[in-house]
Coordinates of all heavy atoms in Angstrom, one line a residue:
K4 N -9.9 14.7 -10.7 CA -10.4 13.3 -11.0 C -10.5 12.5 -9.7 O -11.5 11.9 -9.5 CB -9.4 12.6 -12.0 CG -9.5 13.2 -13.4 CD -8.7 12.3 -14.4 CE -8.8 12.9 -15.8 NZ -8.1 12.1 -16.8
M5 N -9.4 12.4 -9.0 CA -9.5 11.6 -7.8 C -8.6 12.2 -6.7 O -7.4 12.5 -6.9 CB -9.0 10.1 -8.1 CG -9.1 9.2 -6.9 SD -8.5 7.5 -7.2 CE -10.0 6.9 -8.1
D6 N -9.2 12.3 -5.5 CA -8.4 12.9 -4.3 C -7.3 11.9 -3.9 O -7.5 10.7 -4.0 CB -9.4 13.1 -3.2 CG -8.8 13.7 -2.0 OD1 -8.6 14.9 -1.9 OD2 -8.4 12.9 -1.1
G7 N -6.2 12.5 -3.4 CA -5.1 11.6 -2.9 C -5.5 10.6 -1.9 O -4.9 9.5 -1.8
M8 N -6.4 11.0 -1.0 CA -6.8 10.1 0.1 C -7.5 8.9 -0.5 O -7.4 7.7 -0.1 CB -7.7 10.8 1.1 CG -7.0 11.8 1.9 SD -5.7 11.1 2.9 CE -5.2 12.6 3.9
E9 N -8.3 9.1 -1.6 CA -9.0 8.0 -2.3 C -8.0 7.1 -2.9 O -8.1 5.9 -2.9 CB -10.0 8.6 -3.3 CG -11.1 9.4 -2.8 CD -12.0 9.9 -3.9 OE1 -12.8 9.1 -4.4 OE2 -11.8 11.1 -4.2
V10 N -7.0 7.7 -3.5 CA -5.9 6.9 -4.2 C -5.3 6.0 -3.1 O -5.0 4.8 -3.4 CB -4.9 7.8 -4.9 CG1 -3.7 7.0 -5.4 CG2 -5.5 8.6 -6.0
L11 N -4.9 6.6 -2.0 CA -4.3 5.9 -0.9 C -5.2 4.7 -0.5 O -4.7 3.5 -0.4 CB -4.1 6.8 0.3 CG -3.6 6.2 1.6 CD1 -2.2 5.6 1.4 CD2 -3.6 7.2 2.7
T12 N -6.4 4.9 -0.3 CA -7.3 3.8 0.2 C -7.5 2.7 -0.8 O -7.3 1.5 -0.5 CB -8.8 4.4 0.5 OG1 -8.6 5.4 1.5 CG2 -9.7 3.3 1.0
E13 N -7.6 3.1 -2.1 CA -7.8 2.0 -3.1 C -6.5 1.3 -3.4 O -6.5 0.1 -3.7 CB -8.4 2.7 -4.4 CG -9.8 3.2 -4.3 CD -10.4 3.4 -5.6 OE1 -10.0 2.8 -6.6 OE2 -11.4 4.3 -5.7
A14 N -5.4 2.0 -3.4 CA -4.1 1.4 -3.6 C -3.7 0.4 -2.6 O -3.3 -0.7 -2.9 CB -3.0 2.5 -3.7
L15 N -4.0 0.7 -1.3 CA -3.7 -0.2 -0.2 C -4.6 -1.4 -0.2 O -4.3 -2.4 0.4 CB -3.7 0.5 1.1 CG -2.6 1.6 1.3 CD1 -2.7 2.2 2.7 CD2 -1.2 1.0 1.1
A16 N -5.8 -1.2 -0.8 CA -6.7 -2.4 -0.9 C -6.1 -3.4 -1.9 O -6.3 -4.6 -1.8 CB -8.1 -1.9 -1.4
I17 N -5.4 -2.9 -2.9 CA -4.8 -3.7 -3.9 C -3.4 -4.3 -3.4 O -3.2 -5.5 -3.5 CB -4.5 -2.9 -5.2 CG1 -5.8 -2.4 -5.8 CG2 -3.8 -3.8 -6.3 CD1 -5.6 -1.3 -6.9
K18 N -2.6 -3.4 -2.9 CA -1.3 -3.8 -2.3 C -1.1 -3.3 -0.9 O -0.6 -2.2 -0.8 CB -0.2 -3.3 -3.3 CG -0.2 -3.9 -4.7 CD 1.0 -3.4 -5.5 CE 0.9 -4.0 -6.9 NZ 2.0 -3.6 -7.8
P19 N -1.5 -4.0 0.1 CA -1.6 -3.5 1.5 C -0.2 -3.1 2.0 O -0.2 -2.2 2.9 CB -2.1 -4.7 2.2 CG -2.8 -5.6 1.2 CD -2.1 -5.4 0.0
D20 N 0.9 -3.6 1.5 CA 2.2 -3.3 2.1 C 2.9 -2.2 1.3 O 4.1 -1.9 1.6 CB 3.1 -4.5 2.1 CG 2.5 -5.6 3.0 OD1 1.8 -5.3 4.0 OD2 2.7 -6.8 2.6
L21 N 2.3 -1.6 0.3 CA 2.9 -0.5 -0.5 C 3.1 0.7 0.3 O 2.1 1.3 0.7 CB 2.1 -0.3 -1.8 CG 2.7 0.7 -2.8 CD1 4.0 0.3 -3.3 CD2 1.7 0.9 -3.9
P22 N 4.3 1.2 0.5 CA 4.5 2.5 1.3 C 4.0 3.7 0.5 O 4.4 3.9 -0.7 CB 6.0 2.5 1.5 CG 6.6 1.2 1.2 CD 5.6 0.6 0.1
F23 N 3.3 4.6 1.2 CA 2.8 5.8 0.6 C 3.4 7.0 1.4 O 3.3 7.0 2.6 CB 1.3 5.9 0.7 CG 0.6 5.6 -0.6 CD1 0.5 4.3 -1.1 CD2 0.0 6.6 -1.4 CE1 -0.1 4.0 -2.3 CE2 -0.6 6.3 -2.5 CZ -0.7 5.0 -3.0
I24 N 3.9 8.0 0.7 CA 4.2 9.3 1.3 C 3.3 10.3 0.7 O 3.4 10.5 -0.5 CB 5.7 9.6 1.1 CG1 6.6 8.6 1.7 CG2 6.0 11.0 1.6 CD1 8.1 8.8 1.4
M25 N 2.5 11.0 1.5 CA 1.6 12.0 1.0 C 2.2 13.3 1.0 O 3.0 13.7 1.9 CB 0.3 12.0 1.9 CG -0.4 10.7 2.1 SD -0.8 9.8 0.6 CE -2.1 10.9 -0.1
I26 N 2.0 14.1 0.0 CA 2.6 15.5 -0.1 C 1.5 16.5 -0.4 O 0.5 16.2 -1.2 CB 3.7 15.6 -1.2 CG1 3.2 15.0 -2.5 CG2 4.9 14.8 -0.8 CD1 4.2 15.0 -3.7
S27 N 1.6 17.7 0.2 CA 0.5 18.7 -0.1 C 1.0 20.1 0.2 O 1.8 20.3 1.1 CB -0.7 18.4 0.8 OG -1.7 19.4 0.6
G28 N 0.5 21.0 -0.5 CA 0.8 22.4 -0.3 C -0.1 23.1 0.7 O 0.1 24.2 1.1
H29 N -1.1 22.3 1.2 CA -2.1 22.8 2.1 C -2.1 21.9 3.3 O -3.2 21.6 3.8 CB -3.5 22.9 1.5 CG -3.5 23.6 0.2 ND1 -3.4 25.0 0.0 CD2 -3.5 23.2 -1.1 CE1 -3.4 25.3 -1.2 NE2 -3.4 24.2 -2.0
G30 N -0.9 21.5 3.8 CA -0.9 20.6 4.9 C -1.3 21.1 6.2 O -0.9 22.2 6.6
T31 N -2.0 20.3 7.0 CA -2.4 20.6 8.3 C -2.2 19.4 9.2 O -2.0 18.3 8.7 CB -3.9 21.0 8.4 OG1 -4.7 19.9 8.1 CG2 -4.2 22.2 7.6
V32 N -2.2 19.6 10.5 CA -2.0 18.4 11.4 C -3.1 17.4 11.2 O -2.9 16.2 11.2 CB -2.0 18.9 12.9 CG1 -2.0 17.7 13.8 CG2 -0.8 19.8 13.1
E33 N -4.3 18.0 11.0 CA -5.5 17.1 10.8 C -5.3 16.2 9.6 O -5.6 15.0 9.6 CB -6.8 17.9 10.7 CG -7.2 18.6 12.0 CD -6.4 19.8 12.3 OE1 -5.7 20.3 11.4 OE2 -6.5 20.3 13.5
T34 N -4.8 16.8 8.5 CA -4.6 16.1 7.2 C -3.6 15.0 7.4 O -3.7 13.9 6.9 CB -4.1 17.0 6.1 OG1 -5.1 18.1 6.0 CG2 -4.1 16.3 4.8
A35 N -2.5 15.3 8.1 CA -1.4 14.4 8.4 C -1.9 13.2 9.2 O -1.6 12.0 8.9 CB -0.2 15.0 9.1
V36 N -2.7 13.5 10.2 CA -3.3 12.4 11.1 C -4.2 11.5 10.2 O -4.2 10.3 10.4 CB -4.0 13.0 12.3 CG1 -4.8 11.9 13.0 CG2 -3.0 13.7 13.2
E37 N -5.0 12.1 9.4 CA -6.0 11.4 8.6 C -5.2 10.4 7.6 O -5.6 9.3 7.5 CB -6.9 12.3 7.8 CG -7.9 11.5 7.0 CD -8.7 12.4 6.1 OE1 -8.6 13.7 6.2 OE2 -9.6 11.9 5.3
A38 N -4.1 11.0 7.0 CA -3.3 10.2 6.1 C -2.7 9.0 6.8 O -2.7 7.9 6.3 CB -2.3 11.0 5.5
S39 N -2.2 9.2 8.0 CA -1.6 8.1 8.8 C -2.6 7.1 9.2 O -2.3 5.9 9.1 CB -1.0 8.7 10.1 OG 0.1 9.6 9.8
K40 N -3.8 7.5 9.5 CA -4.9 6.5 9.9 C -5.2 5.7 8.7 O -5.6 4.5 8.8 CB -6.1 7.3 10.4 CG -5.9 7.8 11.8 CD -7.2 8.5 12.3 CE -7.1 9.0 13.7 NZ -8.4 9.6 14.2
K41 N -5.2 6.2 7.5 CA -5.5 5.5 6.3 C -4.4 4.6 5.8 O -4.6 3.8 4.9 CB -5.9 6.5 5.2 CG -7.3 7.1 5.4 CD -7.7 8.0 4.3 CE -9.0 8.6 4.4 NZ -10.1 7.6 4.3
G42 N -3.2 4.7 6.5 CA -2.1 3.8 6.1 C -0.9 4.4 5.5 O 0.0 3.7 5.1

């Protein structure tokens, strides 16, 4: 339905100070960096 990165982007647009911890079974350094850049 919706990718976690999309959820992160839309959620922070609603509540900019809401802390997000991303979890994944296919984690890579690139994914972690991208998540950090998105907030």
Side-chain angles (χ1 to χ4, degrees):
K4 292 189 179 181
M5 182 179 283
D6 181 83
M8 293 297 188
E9 293 178 81
V10 176
L11 172 65
T12 302
E13 292 197 25
L15 293 184
I17 300 167
K18 296 182 179 179
D20 299 327
L21 182 60
F23 257 76
I24 297 174
M25 308 305 292
I26 51 179
S27 176
H29 310 283
T31 63
V32 173
E33 289 77 13
T34 307
V36 170
E37 183 186 356
S39 297
K40 285 182 177 180
K41 287 182 178 290

